[in-house]
Amino acid sequence: MVIGGGNLEDSGQWNPEEKSDFSGSSGTSTFDYGGKDMIIMVRDNVRCDEFTITMSNSTSTIDLKEDCETDGQAPIGWEDDPSGWYHLASISSWEFSSGEYSIEASNEYEIIPMWQIIGEELGEAIGGFFQGAAGFMGVCCGVVIFAFGLILGLLANNEQKVIVQNTGMPMNNMMIQANQTTMTQPVYQKNYADVPVQPQTTMQQPQGDNFWSQEEPKNPF
């Protein structure tokens, strides 16, 4: 997040002298134009309404200066310019064809390829944005993982006694024995000597003949 934020802050803060294709001075300079869109940067100690610059060849002369703010101090859109510089003029490819031109300026200036700067600064801004977003997602994921790990750690360190109930026969027998132990009534010893003895009568069964003692039938013949 810090790196991405730094890149976002650095976007737009480039050095025109390092990116310049041509450095011109006050007065008349000869510029070999290659037919690309260019921007002309001037030091911010120069007022926009006092700066003048024209570009001409044998056929035409065109004023290159941008419009100024109401107070005349800076050009319109100066907030996007790098520190210490103003974008005070532009060269458009649809106005000029490739060739040699004379530039008449009131102050020193730098001519920079426009689309090269836009591409570099835009890429730096986009890269900074994604770096910051990736950092933010990393922080969010880290917080979630930390919270999840903290919860698991608290649960793992919570020593609780777990009671396991056995539903098998041994447990039932123990429960039955316990119930029998608790429900057993005291046994009183009874004296049987005081109980009168009733006389018992024995019934005699009629004596039957033994099967083996029967006589054999006599032969009639």
Side-chain angles (χ1 to χ4, degrees):
M1 289 176 64
V2 172
I3 294 174
N7 289 335
L8 283 175
E9 291 181 358
D10 292 340
S11 62
Q13 299 301 319
W14 49 279
N15 190 345
E17 292 179 333
E18 294 179 355
K19 305 294 183 179
S20 177
D21 279 0
F22 182 81
S23 297
S25 59
S26 58
T28 303
S29 301
T30 301
F31 175 55
D32 188 8
Y33 177 61
K36 298 183 293 183
D37 294 325
M38 311 293 285
I39 57 176
I40 297 175
M41 306 297 296
V42 181
R43 291 287 184 179
D44 62 357
N45 57 359
V46 178
R47 288 182 59 90
C48 178
D49 54 1
E50 295 178 355
F51 180 72
T52 60
I53 185 170
T54 59
M55 183 170 172
S56 61
N57 57 10
S58 57
T59 59
S60 62
T61 300
I62 298 177
D63 187 3
L64 303 178
K65 195 178 78 170
E66 299 285 344
D67 295 332
C68 301
E69 295 269 333
T70 304
D71 60 0
Q73 176 63 39
I76 296 176
W78 64 271
E79 297 87 355
D80 297 332
D81 297 336
S83 300
W85 295 83
Y86 283 152
H87 172 201
L88 292 182
S90 300
I91 302 174
S92 178
S93 59
W94 60 271
E95 290 183 300
F96 297 92
S97 58
S98 300
E100 189 175 284
Y101 290 85
S102 295
I103 295 179
E104 184 74 23
S106 60
N107 299 88
E108 295 180 353
Y109 56 91
E110 302 290 340
I111 300 179
I112 299 102
M114 181 175 68
W115 295 111
Q116 176 183 343
I117 294 300
I118 292 177
E120 291 178 357
E121 296 305 310
L122 184 62
E124 187 175 2
I126 293 175
F129 171 77
F130 280 108
Q131 285 175 332
F136 179 76
M137 292 178 62
V139 171
C140 290
C141 294
V143 171
V144 172
I145 294 173
F146 172 77
F148 186 68
L150 182 61
I151 293 172
L152 290 180
L154 293 175
L155 292 177
N157 293 329
N158 187 12
E159 296 181 357
Q160 296 181 353
K161 295 182 179 180
V162 180
I163 300 175
V164 180
Q165 294 184 353
N166 188 357
T167 58
M169 292 301 295
M171 180 61 70
N172 292 334
N173 293 335
M174 292 175 62
M175 294 176 63
I176 294 172
Q177 292 176 3
N179 292 333
Q180 290 177 352
T181 302
T182 56
M183 297 300 294
T184 302
Q185 299 295 329
V187 178
Y188 298 96
Q189 186 175 5
K190 188 174 182 180
N191 190 357
Y192 292 96
D194 299 333
V195 179
V197 178
Q198 298 293 334
Q200 296 182 358
T201 303
T202 303
M203 295 181 66
Q204 295 181 358
Q205 296 294 333
Q207 185 176 1
D209 295 335
N210 190 352
F211 177 77
W212 300 106
S213 61
Q214 295 180 4
E215 297 180 356
E216 294 181 0
K218 295 181 180 181
N219 190 353
F221 299 103

